[in-house]
Amino acid sequence: MKYNPIDSKLFVKNRKKFMAQMKPKSIAVFNSNDIYPIGADSAMPFEQHRNIFYLTGADQEETILVLFPDAFDPKHREVLFVRETNEHIAVWEGEKLTKERGTEVSGIETVYWLTDFDKVFFDLMTEAETIYFDTNEHYRQAVETETREDRFIKKCKADYPAHQWAKSFPIMQDIRGVKEPEELALMQEACNITEKGFRRLLGFVKPGVWEYEIEAELLHEFVRNRSKGFAYTPIIASGYNANVLHYIENNQQCKDGDVILMDVAAEYANYSSDLSRSIPVSGKFTKRQRDVYDAVLRVKNDATKMLVPGTLWGEYHKEVGELMTSELLGLGLLDKADVQNQDKNWPAYKKYFMHGTSHHIGLNTHDYGDLKTPMKANMVFTVEPGIYIPNENLGIRLEDDVVIQEKGEPFNLMANIPIEADEIEELMQAK
């Protein structure tokens, strides 16, 4: 891995939090992701399932974690299974986790080869009454591929029909939503790398540059700072393209007079950052562009202040909608009649700001975290309002990642990344 080693104490803490919520005589199993084929002998780069990484730090395929707090034998209360390595694998694929290295990374004393899984698991299931399955119930999930976890669940239900079943997701959503200090430090590093990429761009962008060239500049800066690259598919949308919320082609030339909306950020150690900035191709906003930009920035700043312990996600978005409505009236994009006659289920402001303002962020860009209970300290949220005006070839979105504090306003992990229009223009014109 490119990232620096992570202290196993983080994963020890995470497992303790999960096991504290397990039922008596229950066992939980977490599988790594598959390596997905492209065709012929090619495969996509491996991405570890975030749950098993959160609990073990093991960033390797064909890995299984078993948690069984009530196991008769204390050494089987936490068990990590890894693929057996050998000289052939070392030559062709590189070093894999040995049993000793598995313990160092995860803090788990009992590490077996994966070939021992069926035998050990059968023995443990004779003691267990309930098994926790790691189902994906994230509110944004739309998975069609059968995963390694799906296959395990099918087999387990067939082999152990008399056991009770439970879901890991509610526990994971609860504990992953609130970050440990070590996690916040990793996320800060991801944001710091993102800052380096963005500052690099401010000296690079000019009329005639292509969107994919901007993407290449970012990737260069991210990878040279120990990131695998983008935390999510980058959006580099100039001019009209900014009105396509998930524009990812990045194949158009940036023209003088246009604004580029960039939703691009680095990952670090599997933790995401999530940044949006909008900059003028020429290095200077027009008056209209500046007016829209400042309106979005005011909404972002005011929305950020609302992210405090006790805030309800749904109510928060309603209040942000009211802020945006006021700004759109000021810009002449809405009038009083539009607001008076609006559909409460699709308010007038949604014509120009149709997406949500905030989501959890962490090991996933749209991370686990409860949205139906009051916000808590050390939850990390994005704040990303936008205004999109297709008939003006203009879209502005501004986004930072912030940590909710016990008291006061959130801590902005991206506070050092330029956002004020004057600073953006100054840095672009200094090139």
Side-chain angles (χ1 to χ4, degrees), residues 234-261:
I235 297 168
I236 302 170
S238 60
Y240 181 85
N241 298 332
N243 294 283
V244 180
L245 296 182
H246 291 126
Y247 171 84
I248 57 173
E249 285 79 6
N250 303 342
N251 63 3
Q252 298 298 304
Q253 194 171 33
C254 303
K255 300 175 182 177
D256 193 7
D258 282 348
V259 170
I260 309 170
L261 188 163

Side-chain angles (χ1 to χ4, degrees), residues 15 32 37 45 75 86 89 97 111 121 137 139 148 260 262 269 273 281 304 329 346 364 381 383 418:
R15 290 193 299 274
S32 62
K75 75 176 185 180
N86 55 43
I89 290 173
L97 291 174
V111 181
F121 186 61
E137 298 180 28
Y139 68 104
R148 190 179 190 89
I260 309 170
M262 295 178 290
S273 61
V281 175
T304 300
L329 287 167
W346 190 256
N364 293 104
F381 284 95
V383 188

Side-chain angles (χ1 to χ4, degrees), residues 82-115:
V82 297
R83 176 187 179 191
E84 184 170 3
T85 191
N86 55 43
E87 290 184 6
H88 176 80
I89 290 173
V91 169
W92 286 89
E93 299 180 32
E95 181 184 358
K96 299 292 180 180
L97 291 174
T98 62
K99 292 181 179 180
E100 294 76 18
R101 182 66 183 140
T103 295
E104 290 175 17
V105 167
S106 66
I108 296 172
E109 294 297 329
T110 304
V111 181
Y112 291 125
W113 296 131
L114 190 61
T115 50

Side-chain angles (χ1 to χ4, degrees), residues 369-380:
D370 201 340
L371 298 177
K372 298 179 181 179
T373 59
M375 295 180 185
K376 300 175 183 176
N378 292 327
M379 286 183 167
V380 186

Side-chain angles (χ1 to χ4, degrees), residues 187-212:
M187 294 183 70
Q188 182 66 76
E189 182 59 26
C191 292
N192 292 347
I193 296 171
T194 297
E195 177 191 357
K196 292 176 182 178
F198 181 66
R199 287 185 180 275
R200 179 187 181 100
L201 287 185
L202 295 178
F204 173 78
V205 170
K206 61 184 179 182
V209 74
W210 291 77
E211 293 166 346
Y212 57 76

Side-chain angles (χ1 to χ4, degrees), residues 143-321:
V143 179
E144 296 183 9
T145 303
E146 185 177 61
T147 65
R148 190 179 190 89
E149 197 71 53
D150 294 331
R151 298 195 301 275
F152 170 76
I153 291 171
K154 278 185 182 179
K155 185 176 187 305
C156 203
K157 286 183 174 182
D159 292 349
Y160 303 98
H163 281 71
Q164 298 176 39
W165 305 324
K167 302 185 298 183
S168 296
F169 179 80
I171 302 177
M172 294 302 291
Q173 177 161 265
D174 179 47
I175 63 176
R176 273 183 56 179
V178 179
K179 271 50 177 183
E180 293 290 338
E182 298 94 328
E183 294 181 282
L184 295 176
L186 294 168
M187 294 183 70
Q188 182 66 76
E189 182 59 26
C191 292
N192 292 347
I193 296 171
T194 297
E195 177 191 357
K196 292 176 182 178
F198 181 66
R199 287 185 180 275
R200 179 187 181 100
L201 287 185
L202 295 178
F204 173 78
V205 170
K206 61 184 179 182
V209 74
W210 291 77
E211 293 166 346
Y212 57 76
E213 292 181 292
I214 296 172
E215 181 178 344
E217 292 292 312
L218 286 165
L219 184 59
H220 174 94
E221 197 66 27
F222 291 174
V223 173
R224 73 192 293 261
N225 283 283
R226 289 183 173 267
S227 168
K228 281 184 294 190
F230 296 103
Y232 49 91
T233 305
I235 297 168
I236 302 170
S238 60
Y240 181 85
N241 298 332
N243 294 283
V244 180
L245 296 182
H246 291 126
Y247 171 84
I248 57 173
E249 285 79 6
N250 303 342
N251 63 3
Q252 298 298 304
Q253 194 171 33
C254 303
K255 300 175 182 177
D256 193 7
D258 282 348
V259 170
I260 309 170
L261 188 163
M262 295 178 290
D263 194 332
V264 288
E267 70 79 51
Y268 179 75
N270 292 318
Y271 281 85
S272 294
S273 61
D274 192 353
L275 176 82
S276 292
R277 290 292 187 269
S278 301
I279 66 173
V281 175
S282 67
K284 188 169 180 62
F285 294 103
T286 65
K287 183 180 184 306
R288 175 61 167 175
Q289 292 167 351
R290 176 65 181 264
D291 287 345
V292 175
Y293 188 99
D294 287 345
V296 174
L297 183 56
R298 283 192 294 271
V299 173
K300 189 194 80 73
N301 290 341
D302 289 342
T304 300
K305 296 172 185 175
M306 300 180 197
L307 295 175
V308 296
T311 295
L312 292 171
W313 191 77
E315 294 300 315
Y316 160 75
H317 279 89
K318 289 180 183 178
E319 291 187 47
V320 174

